[in-house]
Amino acid sequence: MELPTLWFLLIAVLFTGYFILEGFDFGVGILLPLLGRDDRERRVLINTIGPVWDGNEVWLITAAGALFAAFPGWYASLFSGLYLPMLLVLVALIFRGVAFEYRHKRPEARWKARWDTAIVLGSLLPAAVWGIVLGNLLRGVPLNAAHDYTGGLLDLLNPYALLGGATTTALFVTHGAVFLALKTSGEIRVRAGRLAARTAPATAGAAGAFLATGLAIRNTPAAVGLAAAAAVALVGMLAATRVRREGWAFAGTAAAIGLTVTTVFAALFPTVLPSTADPAGTLTVDNAASSPYTLTVLTWVAVFFAPVVLAYQGWTYWVFRKRIGVANIPD
């Protein structure tokens, strides 16, 4: 396998991992005022993701860094064309992180309510914007022959991209509800399982429409196979949430998210950013990649450090694997 192809696959894996892991803590943040009926219950919800949410964001940092180093042309055109959405995501993630740290600094209810709002908005905005990004990535954006973005904000808010935003938001909400049913005890667990069962049909419908429309725009044999696997995962998610099999339901939502993201990347390859304005502006794994020397160095770095990072994050999830409930939260 050539190094540009290898790094395309690695970047796809990094973004897939990010969407799966960050997806459930985005969902928890969105559901904070819905499932947490008082401050103590909201603290339970926050504590389910407290040990892992910042580690989940490392996947995004690593993916963006790998994209910059391995495909500077792709990075430049993508992040300049989607500058405003990416800025909104960055600001939302900053406020969300600050809210987790500052919420407990003062006891007043109004103080906590303001930071709870920051958590909700800081989770909802990225959840929607990432779907818009995926939609535009598959559909293509207006690039000239020099690979410069020539469109405006409204070009990014096309119907397919908005469908992508609705899809990722729905997937993350259901993923978060299933995670809470798996991670909590007592009444919160019951409410989360009930909510997951209610949102799962709409989530499956949105994801199915997004995948079907995406394959009509652009497809490869690998993308068709992955989309079929995603459909199976969505059906499994529906069945598992209905019978309240929380472990299987979480596996189903994780698989549905992962297969949806990988379908987008598989449909793109060997293109990395299609141009809807000038075919000469389309970026591929070949014309967007760094030099062979740079890719070789990156490969050796990944070989040595990626297993360490994965082992550490896996250990973190194992240590904090037990359920928590209101009884575990002091007054």
Side-chain angles (χ1 to χ4, degrees):
M1 183 183 295
E2 296 181 350
L3 286 177
T5 301
L6 174 63
W7 274 95
F8 177 84
L9 293 175
L10 290 175
I11 287 170
V13 169
L14 288 170
F15 275 107
T16 300
Y18 170 71
F19 275 75
I20 292 172
L21 296 176
E22 190 85 303
F24 70 74
D25 67 53
F26 280 153
V28 172
I30 295 169
L31 295 173
L32 185 64
L34 297 178
L35 294 179
R37 295 183 177 177
D38 55 35
D39 179 63
R40 204 167 181 181
E41 290 188 348
R42 286 189 285 272
R43 287 163 64 193
V44 172
L45 268 62
I46 292 172
N47 283 358
T48 62
I49 59 173
V52 298
W53 69 266
D54 47 356
N56 294 342
E57 290 186 355
V58 171
W59 285 75
L60 175 61
I61 298 170
T62 306
L67 187 64
F68 171 77
F71 296 99
W74 186 10
Y75 178 93
S77 296
L78 181 66
F79 280 81
S80 61
L82 280 71
Y83 178 80
L84 183 56
M86 291 292 96
L87 179 62
L88 290 175
V89 169
L90 180 61
V91 172
L93 292 178
I94 291 172
F95 272 96
R96 181 172 177 266
V98 171
F100 284 135
E101 301 297 333
Y102 274 46
R103 184 187 185 277
H104 66 281
K105 297 297 184 182
R106 289 170 58 180
E108 294 89 346
R110 291 182 61 184
W111 170 269
K112 294 182 178 181
R114 290 170 183 169
W115 290 117
D116 287 346
T117 301
I119 292 172
V120 173
L121 295 178
S123 302
L124 179 61
L125 186 60
V129 170
W130 280 123
I132 292 173
V133 171
L134 283 180
N136 281 295
L137 190 64
L138 184 57
R139 177 181 178 272
V141 295
L143 301 173
N144 60 23
H147 310 302
D148 296 324
Y149 182 75
T150 59
L153 178 61
L154 292 180
D155 294 294
L156 302 176
L157 301 178
N158 55 78
Y160 183 62
L162 294 177
L163 175 61
T167 298
T168 51
T169 303
L171 281 169
F172 292 168
V173 166
T174 303
H175 197 35
V178 171
F179 173 79
L180 287 171
L182 184 65
K183 195 70 172 64
T184 60
S185 59
E187 183 62 27
I188 300 177
R189 176 187 179 184
V190 174
R191 269 185 252 137
R194 190 183 302 129
L195 181 63
R198 290 174 179 172
T199 60
T203 298
F210 178 74
L211 289 170
T213 307
L215 292 178
I217 296 172
R218 195 181 313 276
N219 69 77
T220 62
V224 173
L226 288 167
V232 172
L234 290 169
V235 172
M237 173 196 72
L238 283 170
T241 54
R242 181 163 297 182
V243 298
R244 308 291 172 85
R245 294 296 298 272
E246 294 148 357
W248 286 108
F250 186 75
T253 55
I257 293 171
L259 289 167
T260 298
V261 177
T262 52
T263 298
V264 171
F265 281 94
L268 280 172
F269 185 80
T271 301
V272 295
L273 188 60
S275 173
T276 59
D278 187 345
T282 295
L283 288 164
T284 67
V285 292
D286 294 321
N287 65 15
S290 293
S291 68
Y293 177 78
T294 300
L295 294 178
T296 301
V297 173
L298 287 173
T299 302
W300 282 110
V301 171
V303 166
F304 283 106
F305 288 101
V308 176
V309 175
L310 291 174
Y312 173 76
Q313 190 162 25
W315 175 80
T316 302
Y317 276 93
W318 174 256
V319 169
F320 295 100
R321 67 189 182 277
K322 293 185 178 180
R323 294 179 182 271
I324 62 171
V326 175
N328 302 109
I329 305 297
D331 292 331

